[in-house]
Amino acid sequence: MAEYILKRCLALIIIVFATAFIIFTILYFTPGDPARALLGASASDAEVAAMNEALGVNRPYLVQLGDFFYDTFIRFDFGESWVYGRPVYEELAARLPRTVLIGLSAMVLNLFFGLLLGIFAGTHGSKWQDSLTMAIAMVFISCPDFWVALMMIVLFSLKLGWLPPYGIGGPEYYIMPIICASLGGIAVNARQTRSSILEVYREDYITTARSKGQRESVVVRRHMLPNALMPIITTIGTGFSRIVAGSAVIETVFSIPGVGTYMLSAINGRDYPAVRASVLFFAVFTCIVMLVVDLMYAFVDPRIKAQYSRVRRAKVQ
Amino acid sequence: MKKRFVSLLLALCLILTLAACGGSKGKPTGDSSEPPANESPSPVQEVTPPPVDTARRTTADTDERYPKVVIGLNSDPQNLSPFDPNAASKPYIFFEFYECLFDLENNEYIPVMAESFEHIDDLHTQVKIYDYIYDHAGNHITADDVVFSYQTLLDSGFAIKYSAFADIKKVDDYTVEFTWNYPLDSVGVLEFPWCRTFIFSQKAYEEGNFATNPVGTGPYKVTHFTSGSKVVLEAVDNYWQKDESKISDRHKAKVQTIEYTINTEAAQHVIALKSGAIDFSQVVPDENLKDFEGNEDFSIYVTPASRTFFMTPNVEGAFTSDINFRKAVFYAIDNEALATATGGTVAAKALGSGFFSDYQKSWEDEKTYINTYDPELAKELLKQTSYNGETIMILTSNAELHKNIATVVQNFLTNVGINSDLTLVEPAQLGNYTTQEGWDLFIHDLGGGSQLGAWNRVFNRDEFANGKAFGFIYDDTLQNLYKDALKVANYGPESITELHNYVLENAYATTLVCGKLNMVYNSDIANIFLREGAYLLPGSCDYYLD
Amino acid sequence: MTKTIVKQEKTQIEKIEKSSFFKETMQRMVKGAGAKVGVALLAVIVISCLLADYIAPFSPTEMDFTALFAKPNARHIFGTDGMGRDIFSRILYGGRYSLALGLSASLLGTAVGIIIGSIAGYFGKKVETVIMRVMDIWSSIPTLLLSILIATALGEGFFNTILALAVGEVPVCVRLIRGQILKERCKEYLEAAESINCPKAVIMFQHLLPNVISPVIVHMTMGIGSTITMAATLSYIGLGVKPPTPEWGALLSDARAHILNYPHLIMFPGFVIALTVLAINLIGDGLRDALDPKLRS
């Protein structure tokens, strides 16, 4: 097991290098240049050319790639954002907590309510509870997130005056963004859970457990849930990436200066240092989440754990 | 079977309820069975603000300050460095806490930090600054700091429109000397070197980080900055200019705290205004203006903006090289309908915007292809060209307003038989496409300090790397007319009109719509002060104190 | 006499053998009420969109400047937008683009994901490790951002949008399939198939895949709906299809600025998207039930 984890950590380093290379190349071949974005439409062509030269974007591909890798991985200098005028890591450090707060809270809500609704629907399969729950889930998936956000703002901010319409500050500023960010995920998790539970429902060992006189709740908790958990864990793992990506829309509507809006404005402004650094941060984050997910596979399903140990034992022999 | 239908019905009901909730929370829907005849909203052209109620006490009468005002911005200033003050929403913020040597007013240079200036000869000017200027950290501003400020700006690469500037050097502790590249005989040539270059202390700059914690000399200082969210300014009690008579309106501090909050959604601005979260917004959509009519808590003020949408043809294009084709295109577009359909704009009636002081109203009286909509004439002119249904390319940016304008223009062209395809590029990169080949019509917006200045980026071929003006125009007469009109000696209605008419004769460009500011604000603000007619200066507005 | 009986028996056996896996699945699927409703609903939507030329009362680009932002009425049953274009007609024509976008992007992403995932899950060891690490790299860049980057690099356009939307689907499907295969890999029927020298491809796609495909199908049906909504986000940023294409996502983002005063602009396209997603999900559920080997008797 420990060997496996070590291997994955080494792999993480390779992944980071590869992601850095991919991101650099995509940006290099994207049309447009930073100087025009910085100076605006009224600057003359000569002024734009001069600034591009000063920023170093006219140098050959390999030179720029080498510089980037040297700065990032050897000097750990992520560069200064051309748009924000301060080191990238400073800006990210300020913004990351807000995005992570919304993301993690939304994930917790997704997990909790998704499992709850999914189990409720799955164990009542084909009855009205199942249909009703899935119908509600359907509705939430179909509504565009900015529409739900604006409707909530009209209700809670305008009509009732309970919550502020946008901005950051105390916890009351984050309530609506977290709810909006989690709605879609709850529905997806509920559906996935229900579908897994329904599959497991028909397995022989469930019938056996019931025929032994087990209480239904114990059957659900001890027999159904662990076996149904695999796809659910996968969905949660990918849900993190989904929430981070979806944060761009939520952050725009609620005007929360998080990493989503930072990346959007960095891409628009061709702020190469900022885009590269933020994507790398996410790469590392996501890889760690994936590693945790894979480890949970082994934790939840003893057969997989055995596979890894079997491999080890076989090698030793 | 039944249960599935029930679930389907329930789902539909839920969706409808959510949607209907949205409907009832907005404006009440009227009886929708009548024919739509007069339902179209017409663009609100201009609304004068309510006059100041002289019976009430305002900040104009006393030294007392109004406590706090919250301004809604719709773009992120991103950083507070003193360079590049024209980007995003910086013009709304910077001029409260940074100052320049001069202010620009009606093409005149009003001294601010400068006490006086003297032209030594054609290429040299000496400027003397006050000897008692201190910044917010208490640093004394001297000629060294002035030179440093200019040098740092030049090193940063953000010194645009600096073609006249050659050098600056210190003469004595409070005097600097500017060296120019050519005699200063053009209008507005020092707009950027003198009125958009901020002066700050070298010590403060080197010791701190101006991007997040700027130290300026203005009537306000920055106390809080969260990029993407909020900027807070506090009035400075020991503003360096002690002589009241020398403090112009632009450098007053009539409110104690100014808070700027950022949100890019116009709908959010409306909600924030109604719920009292902000006190001022200038991006209220046309359709929401009537929400605030008749409401005592709000005042409405609509005024033209400098932003003008031009459509420039490619004079080297396959069809657009033919003047009849160009005129056909221009006559096919109805600017009034265009303004109505795109919202937030007013129709252009001549080659510019009524916002500028050097715009001549007389231009609107003549019938030109800008203010005339004549599809029949367009079709006639089209027949005289070699056009036979081919598809031409309209290039513009994918920003909301540009996109909408281009879509409506495309529709008008189709109505007279011209087929077109839209190509949208990112707004930040739009400027790069002017010299690229392949487009036939280019829709872009321009602003500036004067009408002539706004035309710079269209007709002045010195701006472009390929030596031709916008649309690949290479016309010596045009260039000479433009340069001559800029000369201080010639500057006036006649030379500008000559240029205007020459452009129209040759169908070099047309204007479509002009921007406007739809301002809605808390009625506690008695009088709105706009710097250069376009940028709100909250510190200079008057407020009711009772 | 015996010859005819044998012949009859033979034809009967042939008939039974000819009934393929696909046919069986379809037959089982339409037995369920949910799938019936889903198929019917989707058919109505798809056929209306295909017949838009005959059904739509107006052209999707025709602008009536006397009726801007008209609320639903007798002439424009869904109302008009800010340029006087009929919403009902735009929805009908737009369906072609949105359905094509959603289906193509999802199918493309899922198909590629299934193939890669099956290879990874079945062969295991080094192959699995390499593929999963590549997938890690692929999925370490958040989906929307990857789509935005690719759309920015490729530019606007229909096929570029499909590519930009499909890239996000692949690693998710790979992980899902591989996770399922990890569970199934130790089951006996696979050992049995291997022991009779069944070709690897046959084992993968005929024996293994039907047992593991359920979550992927469920995921894909959800994916079509979210692909359509993601196209709306791309349209908002300005990277989707170019105007005046009446793609449903573009209709949603056009309506964004007017949500407060003219909710009908977002209600009707949103409603149609919801119906379509519902129909696709019902079909997906029916398919899942039909493919479940436990129910096959």
Side-chain angles (χ1 to χ4, degrees), chain B residues 3 10 107 125 218 251 322 325 398 430 436 479 522:
Chain B
K3 282 146 202 160
L10 279 166
N107 287 324
T125 308
H251 298 267
D322 183 344
F325 186 82
N398 58 34
L430 193 59
Q436 284 188 28
Q479 185 72 7
N522 188 336

Side-chain angles (χ1 to χ4, degrees), chain B residues 430-446:
Chain B
L430 193 59
N432 279 346
Y433 286 83
T434 47
T435 47
Q436 284 188 28
E437 317 246 334
W439 53 269
D440 296 292
L441 294 168
F442 201 123
I443 298 177
H444 54 132
D445 61 325
L446 297 168

Side-chain angles (χ1 to χ4, degrees), chain B residues 55 57 83 130 133 149 159 207-208 338 396 418 503 522 535:
Chain B
R57 229 166 47 99
F83 318 120
Y130 291 101
I133 307 177
S149 306
E207 284 174 4
L338 181 59
T396 189
I418 301 178
V503 171
N522 188 336
Y535 306 105

Side-chain angles (χ1 to χ4, degrees), chain B residues 99-395:
Chain B
E99 287 175 328
C100 312
L101 290 177
F102 296 87
D103 276 341
L104 188 67
E105 206 139 354
N106 289 328
N107 287 324
E108 279 189 40
Y109 307 114
I110 316 291
V112 176
M113 290 172 92
E115 194 176 4
S116 60
F117 67 93
E118 194 190 330
H119 294 295
I120 310 289
D121 58 47
D122 258 1
L123 298 178
H124 297 88
T125 308
Q126 280 197 356
V127 175
K128 183 170 184 304
I129 65 173
Y130 291 101
D131 56 12
Y132 49 87
I133 307 177
Y134 291 87
D135 71 7
H136 300 141
N139 299 311
H140 195 189
I141 304 291
T142 64
D144 284 317
D145 295 309
V146 176
V147 173
F148 178 78
S149 306
Y150 275 85
Q151 206 52 55
T152 324
L153 174 65
L154 287 161
D155 291 340
S156 75
F158 278 104
I160 61 173
K161 302 206 188 304
Y162 251 61
S163 59
F165 179 94
D167 192 26
I168 180 175
K169 68 175 201 285
K170 166 179 168 178
V171 171
D172 64 46
D173 273 343
Y174 301 105
T175 317
V176 292
E177 184 173 296
F178 287 92
T179 310
W180 310 116
N181 282 325
Y182 45 77
L184 302 176
D185 55 357
S186 300
V187 164
V189 67
L190 293 181
E191 179 185 354
F192 277 75
W194 270 7
C195 309
R196 302 247 191 279
T197 306
F198 296 119
I199 310 297
F200 44 88
S201 148
Q202 176 171 5
K203 180 162 178 282
Y205 185 78
E206 284 169 348
E207 284 174 4
N209 180 6
F210 272 32
T212 49
N213 279 315
V215 181
T217 61
Y220 285 88
K221 63 176 189 272
V222 178
T223 52
H224 177 97
F225 172 53
T226 308
S227 86
S229 175
K230 205 168 20 167
V231 184
V232 181
L233 307 178
E234 287 284 334
V236 163
D237 284 318
N238 53 341
Y239 182 55
W240 59 269
Q241 183 61 279
K242 303 296 177 201
D243 186 344
E244 290 276 335
S245 64
K246 299 220 174 84
I247 304 182
S248 83
D249 276 340
R250 293 188 193 190
H251 298 267
K252 299 255 159 90
K254 298 195 187 171
V255 56
Q256 181 61 32
T257 311
I258 308 175
E259 185 178 310
Y260 296 93
T261 66
I262 300 161
N263 193 297
T264 48
E265 304 262 341
Q268 278 277 38
H269 279 234
V270 176
I271 295 174
L273 275 168
K274 287 186 185 173
S275 69
I278 63 176
D279 298 313
F280 175 96
S281 169
Q282 65 179 51
V283 293
V284 178
D286 271 345
E287 73 235 27
N288 292 103
L289 282 176
K290 55 185 187 299
D291 297 352
F292 299 96
E293 267 168 28
N295 186 335
E296 276 188 0
D297 294 330
F298 297 102
S299 307
I300 306 176
Y301 181 14
V302 176
T303 185
S306 69
R307 193 184 190 197
T308 314
F309 279 85
F310 278 74
M311 184 161 73
T312 329
N314 177 353
V315 299
E316 289 176 358
F319 304 102
T320 42
S321 49
D322 183 344
I323 191 173
N324 286 326
F325 186 82
R326 297 203 293 271
K327 286 193 171 158
V329 168
F330 299 156
Y331 275 110
I333 301 173
D334 180 359
N335 285 355
E336 298 283 344
L338 181 59
T340 315
T342 50
T345 54
V346 290
K349 300 196 183 72
L351 201 71
S353 166
F355 166 83
F356 295 112
S357 54
D358 50 351
Y359 174 89
Q360 309 299 319
K361 276 269 185 278
S362 56
W363 297 340
E364 299 176 9
D365 299 329
E366 294 181 36
K367 273 189 61 127
T368 66
Y369 55 67
I370 301 180
N371 53 29
T372 315
Y373 170 53
D374 198 341
E376 294 311 317
L377 177 55
K379 287 184 194 159
E380 291 270 328
L381 287 165
L382 201 58
K383 285 201 198 101
Q384 296 170 30
T385 69
S386 60
Y387 180 73
N388 223 338
E390 293 90 335
T391 308
I392 61 172
M393 168 152 59
I394 303 179
L395 182 68

Side-chain angles (χ1 to χ4, degrees), chain A residues 93-107:
Chain A
R95 289 178 177 242
L96 214 51
R98 301 173 195 133
T99 307
V100 169
L101 172 62
I102 296 180
L104 281 180
S105 313
M107 276 186 71

Side-chain angles (χ1 to χ4, degrees), chain B residues 401-479:
Chain B
L401 198 47
H402 293 78
K403 197 169 62 168
N404 289 341
I405 291 176
T407 311
V408 181
V409 164
Q410 184 186 38
N411 187 54
F412 278 123
L413 292 185
T414 314
N415 287 346
V416 297
I418 301 178
N419 297 324
S420 57
D421 200 34
L422 296 182
T423 300
L424 305 181
V425 299
E426 286 172 81
Q429 302 296 326
L430 193 59
N432 279 346
Y433 286 83
T434 47
T435 47
Q436 284 188 28
E437 317 246 334
W439 53 269
D440 296 292
L441 294 168
F442 201 123
I443 298 177
H444 54 132
D445 61 325
L446 297 168
S450 64
Q451 186 61 72
L452 212 48
W455 286 342
N456 180 50
R457 187 79 183 140
V458 189
F459 302 129
N460 181 2
R461 62 181 186 227
D462 292 336
E463 286 284 301
F464 301 95
N466 60 4
K468 298 180 187 170
F470 211 120
F472 307 98
I473 298 172
Y474 194 80
D475 185 337
D476 286 325
T477 319
L478 179 68
Q479 185 72 7

Side-chain angles (χ1 to χ4, degrees), chain C residues 4 11 13 34 40 57 75 123 137 154-155 158 168 182 197 246 249-250 277 295:
Chain C
T4 355
T11 20
I13 295 169
R75 206 157 164 259
F123 286 107
I137 300 174
L154 293 176
F158 192 67
L182 277 182
N197 272 332
V277 173
L295 290 181

